[in-house]
Amino acid sequence: MSKSTNAKIPRREASPADMTRAALVRAALKLFGRQGFDGTSTREIAAEARANIGSIAYHFGGKEGLRNAAADYIVDTIQTIAGQAIGNLQEPSESETGDPEAARAQLFTALERMVAFVVARPEAGEIVQFVLRELSHPTAALDRIYDGVFEPTHRRLCLIWEQATGEAAESEATRLTVFTLIGQVVYFRIGREAVMRRMGWGAIGDAEATKIAAVVTDNLSAILARRDLARRHLTDRKDRKS
């Protein structure tokens, strides 16, 4: 009797080399974000990863290659999270040809997922610190992050916004609006310490992130309502003139 074709294919276990490589990337992400590229030695990275210092050259060709690998890790991580909310960044989204209400629902989902990751997940802090360093002093690593995450994610959200509101995806107003939606979420990570002090929170976890998401989505509702009102007024004026 033959085996079922639906049998699960067992996952390949990570080799020691794979685990070393992953540990070095995570260590570099953490230390480069905290101390900066120039302020971090390969010896510190190896110690943080509990790896031989020679493994950095072996796996990445050196410190610069490791920085690029950390950037690629950020791209892979955020593409996965963004894909769950707004679809594959490299392929057309159903929302681009769907109805406005579906597109609006997707915007709310995107913001909620963004808050859940950026605000509540500990690893997001290391990613944001690394990116902020790159934004302050751009290198080839920022190019990888921009091309892999920033530009395609922003462009996709703009397309969804067009479907939701009728406003052109690449208009200046749409692009600025989408930056505003993203920026309010990111603030709660970069201003985390100030937010906790002012709110009297000992930490920002899932419960706090839920409260933040409620305010962020309320802001989106207000923006959409304002757009709807302006469109109705414009329609009314046209009707009166005709």
Side-chain angles (χ1 to χ4, degrees):
M1 192 173 192
S2 62
K3 292 183 179 179
S4 170
T5 56
N6 293 326
K8 290 184 179 179
I9 299 173
R11 288 185 177 181
R12 182 180 71 85
E13 290 188 9
S15 68
D18 290 337
M19 291 189 287
T20 297
R21 181 183 175 87
L24 287 168
V25 169
R26 289 194 298 270
L29 182 68
K30 176 181 178 180
L31 294 177
F32 288 158
R34 181 184 297 172
Q35 303 171 186
F37 182 78
D38 294 334
T40 303
S41 69
T42 53
R43 189 173 300 280
E44 287 177 296
I45 296 169
E48 177 72 24
R50 298 183 179 179
N52 187 296
I53 191 171
S55 60
I56 294 175
Y58 177 79
H59 288 288
F60 306 101
K63 189 177 169 185
E64 185 64 44
L66 181 52
R67 171 161 60 183
N68 288 336
D72 291 340
Y73 170 83
I74 291 173
V75 170
D76 291 342
T77 300
I78 298 181
Q79 279 186 352
T80 298
I81 294 165
Q84 294 171 352
I86 59 177
N88 189 314
L89 301 184
Q90 308 306 324
E91 297 177 1
S93 168
E94 291 182 3
S95 69
E96 292 167 28
T97 56
D99 66 272
E101 288 306 313
R104 291 187 178 212
Q106 200 165 20
L107 286 173
F108 282 99
T109 297
L111 279 183
E112 289 167 355
R113 295 272 178 88
M114 199 181 303
V115 171
F117 177 74
V118 173
V119 176
R121 294 270 290 274
E123 62 268 35
E126 295 176 356
I127 289 175
V128 170
Q129 280 189 321
F130 184 99
V131 172
L132 287 175
R133 290 272 185 183
E134 285 296 317
L135 289 170
S136 298
H137 303 284
T139 70
L142 180 60
D143 294 337
R144 299 165 95 98
I145 296 169
Y146 179 84
D147 293 340
V149 174
F150 285 175
E151 197 275 345
T153 302
H154 187 273
R155 187 178 294 277
R156 172 55 58 78
L157 287 170
C158 287
L159 287 168
I160 298 172
W161 183 265
E162 178 181 64
Q163 184 61 40
T165 66
E167 298 173 8
E170 288 302 302
S171 71
E172 185 175 78
T174 293
R175 285 179 286 154
L176 287 173
T177 298
V178 170
F179 273 126
T180 299
L181 294 174
I182 296 170
Q184 64 178 330
V185 176
V186 174
Y187 174 79
F188 284 100
R189 170 56 67 174
I190 63 177
R192 189 180 189 83
E193 186 61 35
V195 171
M196 288 193 297
R197 292 186 185 191
R198 184 70 181 94
M199 296 303 298
W201 293 341
I204 297 182
D206 292 339
E208 292 77 17
T210 298
K211 296 174 184 177
I212 292 169
V215 174
V216 169
T217 52
D218 278 350
N219 290 343
L220 174 57
S221 294
I223 293 172
L224 290 171
R226 179 68 182 84
R227 294 296 202 281
D228 291 341
L229 181 61
R231 189 160 49 249
R232 285 197 296 271
H233 284 170
L234 181 61
T235 301
D236 290 343
R237 284 201 298 270
K238 288 180 179 179
D239 289 344
R240 285 196 294 270
K241 289 180 180 179
S242 61

